[in-house]
Amino acid sequence: MADAFESRRKELEEAFFAQHNQKLLEHLKELKKQSLDKAAIGAMSGISDEAVLDKLVALKLNTETLAAFLLFPLVEVAWADGVADAKEKKAVLQASHDAGIAHGSAANRLIETWLEHKPPAALHSAWQAYVSALLKTMSAADKESLKKSILGKARAVAEASGGILGMPPKVSKEEAAVLKQLERAFA
């Protein structure tokens, strides 16, 4: 009888440690994935600032969704007045497609999610940190090109819903404020 209890105790102990080891292995795999994502994002963007890379990984960004993150300002402009309307959404999705983001890709799905549900304000500060670190890796000409590209696309989103009866596109006060804030991120 004592052998039966001892045998059962060992079985339970082994089961406990097997389950515990499995949890540890899963945790290690997640850490390794995050490390790979962090390294891949760093290699792809040229950013070496660990704090910025940690923020990007914490946002669950990876090499697939990083392109969407660069276009985050377009989404911010769309939501500037509290509502991302159909014309603004269409302008954001067109700009993302023009930037090479394929329909149905992880980056496209992320942008669509941001357009359906207003992203948290914390995403803006993460984007600013990302752009600040990215600009440090670029030449003056490349910085200016990126600035013109992002701000031009953001302005197109702001103008998407403006204008009535052929009048020039109008940008709301809220959209103008977001555009000004975005421009300061490139200073």
Side-chain angles (χ1 to χ4, degrees):
M1 180 77 103
D3 285 341
F5 284 124
E6 181 62 21
S7 176
R8 181 67 181 142
R9 183 192 65 76
K10 283 185 179 182
E11 286 175 12
L12 290 172
E13 188 176 287
E14 287 174 11
F16 169 80
F17 284 112
Q19 184 179 16
H20 183 71
N21 286 341
Q22 183 62 34
K23 286 180 183 176
L24 285 174
L25 282 173
E26 288 171 12
H27 180 69
L28 286 173
K29 283 180 187 177
E30 181 60 30
L31 288 176
K32 184 174 181 178
K33 181 185 179 315
Q34 287 178 356
S35 174
L36 289 175
D37 285 347
K38 189 172 167 180
I41 290 170
M44 182 178 167
S45 66
I47 295 171
S48 58
D49 184 321
E50 292 291 320
V52 173
L53 293 171
D54 286 340
K55 277 186 179 183
L56 297 175
V57 170
L59 290 170
K60 305 276 192 257
L61 294 175
N62 56 41
T63 54
E64 270 189 87
T65 55
L66 195 58
F69 192 59
L70 187 57
L71 297 176
F72 174 72
L74 282 61
V75 175
E76 262 192 311
V77 170
W79 281 101
D81 59 2
V83 177
D85 71 29
K87 290 179 182 178
E88 291 167 329
K89 289 176 182 181
K90 183 178 178 183
V92 171
L93 292 172
Q94 183 60 52
S96 68
H97 177 73
D98 292 347
I101 295 176
H103 181 72
S105 67
N108 178 254
R109 289 190 307 273
L110 182 58
I111 290 171
E112 287 177 344
T113 299
W114 288 339
L115 290 171
E116 291 303 315
H117 307 282
K118 186 174 182 176
L123 212 48
H124 176 79
S125 64
W127 178 83
Q128 281 185 306
Y130 167 65
V131 167
S132 176
L134 184 62
L135 292 175
K136 291 176 186 173
T137 70
M138 302 173 83
S139 70
D142 288 342
K143 289 177 189 178
E144 189 60 28
S145 176
L146 180 63
K147 177 182 174 181
K148 283 183 179 179
S149 175
I150 297 295
L151 293 177
K153 289 176 177 133
R155 178 160 288 285
V157 171
E159 293 173 350
S161 289
I164 301 172
L165 300 173
M167 300 297 283
K170 180 171 177 5
V171 175
S172 72
K173 286 185 272 186
E174 296 88 357
E175 290 166 335
V178 171
L179 289 169
K180 191 174 271 293
Q181 184 181 26
L182 294 172
E183 190 167 354
R184 283 193 300 268
F186 287 96

